[in-house]
Amino acid sequence: MNRFTRTLLAIAALVSLSSAAAPASAATCGFTAVAGLSFGAYDVFGPNVDAAGSLTYVCTGVLPGDNVVITLETGGASSFTPRQMQSGPYRLDYNIFLDATRISIWGDGTAGSVFYGPVVPPEALPIVVPMYGRIPSGQDAHVGVYTDTIIVTMSF
């Protein structure tokens, strides 16, 4: 394949969700929808590739003082900066952000990452939390389908 026409498909999927309830809370919260990140084709000579997705959750039985916090783990990488997708033995750097400017890396609050919340959830209304992804340009990646699995944890 011509070096100047190589493209690859990159997908970051959020597939594992969990919830942890604080003992004093009477609230019940859960994810109702996940729109994972799908980056599409990546051209090694092109610009950054951006994608957007979202998590949707609903809480019931909310009491004063109840808060929701959502964290993401590193996935297949050993750190938040960068996360890495994999295709066989090959890796492709990317990240997930809480903001559209793609500055605040969504993680668990360690190693320079931030998390969603704490937020007082409204009673029985779906809350859509956007997430923003980016594959930085200039990576010499091999052709393939790249994926990563991120564990998302909701605490309330």
Side-chain angles (χ1 to χ4, degrees):
M1 182 171 279
N2 184 319
R3 181 173 178 240
F4 295 102
T5 59
R6 286 192 304 166
T7 60
L8 52 98
L9 181 65
I11 300 171
L14 298 173
V15 297
S16 182
L17 304 174
S18 64
S19 296
S25 176
T28 300
C29 297
F31 294 102
T32 59
V34 176
L37 301 172
S38 180
F39 290 98
Y42 174 78
D43 181 347
V44 298
F45 299 104
N48 294 335
V49 176
D50 291 341
S54 63
L55 302 171
T56 304
Y57 69 91
V58 173
C59 295
T60 57
V62 177
L63 298 173
D66 285 341
N67 289 298
V68 169
V69 171
I70 300 174
T71 61
L72 305 183
E73 55 99 53
T74 60
S78 60
S79 71
F80 292 109
T81 309
R83 285 182 167 100
Q84 293 183 326
M85 291 182 277
Q86 191 168 346
S87 178
Y90 305 110
R91 297 195 177 268
L92 183 63
D93 293 346
Y94 82 105
N95 227 318
I96 302 170
F97 304 88
L98 261 175
D99 59 323
T101 59
R102 291 170 172 81
I103 294 173
S104 300
I105 296 171
W106 194 347
D108 63 5
T110 64
S113 71
V114 298
F115 51 83
Y116 170 84
V119 173
V120 177
E123 177 66 28
L125 291 176
I127 302 299
V128 178
V129 182
M131 62 182 153
Y132 305 93
R134 173 168 285 164
I135 301 174
S137 62
Q139 298 182 64
D140 188 18
H142 287 77
V143 173
V145 176
Y146 287 72
T147 62
D148 193 13
T149 300
I150 303 293
I151 295 175
V152 179
T153 303
M154 175 190 294
S155 302
F156 54 92

